[in-house]
Amino acid sequence: MLVRYLKAQAMVLLCGGLVGPIFLAVYFASGFGEYLGWMFWTGLFVTAADVLVALWLVSFGAKRQAKQQALEANGVLALARVTSLTETGTQINDRPLVKLGLHIEGPGLAPFDATDRVIASIPRMPLITARYLAVLVDPATNEFQIDWQRSTLVAGIAPAQFTSDEDGRTYDLTGQAGPLMDILRILKANGVPADGTVDLRSNPAVRQQVMAVVRRAGGNAAPAAPVAPAPAAAPVMPSQPAAQRLQELETLRAMGTISEAEYTAKRAQIIAEL
């Protein structure tokens, strides 16, 4: 907790809060100058505000981490389809804050629609535009958090290949969101992180469950590789009306996510498909 506070305090000071301590240092270094009383009170106020803001950041971060841990332990891993993407007119650290409309479905959940405001950073934009995200949902309240790490699998940023020594082949499930979500749920239920290469040969029970899903889903056969690649996922993109695609393209250009040349080429492609 102390380390987290010190980091938060350093960030506050670097973002302008250093003015308060400087004013206090100048006031005391001047020998309590007669005309510098304002500097003392201003410095004292700013320094106190620095401490309060740092404490708030630590509290906010701790609550967010606790919520994330609770969702990881007891939440339902669900699939969220991005139904809308709109600007909010706000930027945080030069990154646009966008509003996402989501349709969320998962085992044991009644499908529901929700919205979330997220920072459209460069790493996140490919996940958002792929239109599918992994979310952790509290089944009692339907509160949710987007799981950006698992979303890289669901969005198809990484290939989804599984090697079976028994079958002597590699299954390629890239593009099959349903089976891949099933696999991610199996890994979550057994406490296996889905980051990087996952080798399940030392965990035969989990491996058997995963390979049962892989074999049911099929996939494209390839020569067996000596090391099992990491599970990953990519959704099958649904067809969208041209008008909606053009609107989303306009939004991406307005946010500066794509260049003018990319916008022109993509617009021409959409129009040509009409």
Side-chain angles (χ1 to χ4, degrees):
M1 184 64 73
L2 178 60
V3 173
R4 181 178 295 176
Y5 168 75
L6 292 175
K7 289 181 179 179
Q9 189 67 76
M11 183 179 68
V12 171
L13 292 175
L14 291 175
C15 292
L18 200 57
V19 172
I22 290 175
F23 277 14
L24 290 176
V26 171
Y27 174 76
F28 289 113
S30 67
F32 311 100
E34 180 180 354
Y35 300 103
L36 296 179
W38 66 270
M39 188 172 285
F40 169 78
W41 293 110
T42 303
L44 187 64
F45 174 79
V46 173
T47 302
D50 291 344
V51 174
L52 292 176
V53 170
L55 289 173
W56 179 83
L57 289 174
V58 171
S59 176
F60 177 79
K63 289 179 181 178
R64 185 176 181 85
Q65 183 178 17
K67 180 180 178 182
Q68 185 174 358
Q69 291 174 346
L71 285 174
E72 184 67 35
N74 305 310
V76 175
L77 184 58
L79 185 65
R81 179 168 56 88
V82 179
T83 56
S84 65
L85 168 63
T86 55
E87 295 181 76
T88 63
T90 302
Q91 289 200 344
I92 299 177
N93 294 331
D94 296 325
R95 300 296 183 192
L97 183 71
V98 298
K99 181 179 179 181
L100 300 181
L102 303 172
H103 181 74
I104 300 175
E105 297 184 8
L109 297 175
F112 65 98
D113 295 318
T115 60
D116 195 10
R117 285 176 169 81
V118 301
I119 299 174
S121 60
I122 293 176
R124 288 180 178 180
M125 279 310 298
L127 310 182
I128 295 171
T129 55
R131 303 189 67 81
Y132 282 97
L133 299 170
V135 296
L136 288 166
V137 183
D138 184 336
T141 64
N142 278 357
E143 290 186 17
F144 68 92
Q145 280 189 352
I146 296 175
D147 189 323
W148 294 105
Q149 182 172 328
R150 289 186 174 99
S151 292
T152 60
L153 307 180
V154 176
I157 302 302
Q161 295 181 337
F162 304 82
T163 296
S164 169
D165 293 336
E166 294 91 340
D167 300 345
R169 60 184 289 190
T170 294
Y171 296 86
D172 188 352
L173 301 190
T174 302
Q176 300 190 43
L180 288 165
M181 284 297 295
D182 290 339
I183 291 170
L184 288 173
R185 292 185 186 109
I186 292 172
L187 296 178
K188 175 181 177 298
N190 290 275
V192 180
D195 54 348
T197 299
V198 179
D199 190 346
L200 297 176
R201 285 175 293 189
S202 61
N203 197 333
V206 177
R207 185 175 183 278
Q208 184 178 4
Q209 295 178 61
V210 170
M211 289 310 301
V213 176
V214 170
R215 292 187 180 101
R216 285 200 304 269
N220 300 320
V227 179
V236 179
M237 291 286 289
S239 59
Q240 302 170 255
Q244 183 178 349
R245 295 166 63 191
L246 288 171
Q247 181 181 1
E248 292 177 357
L249 190 63
E250 291 286 351
T251 300
L252 293 177
R253 181 178 68 162
M255 292 189 301
T257 305
I258 60 176
S259 65
E260 191 66 29
E262 291 172 327
Y263 165 79
T264 302
K266 189 63 178 178
R267 187 175 187 277
Q269 178 184 345
I270 295 173
I271 293 175
E273 293 173 357
L274 294 176

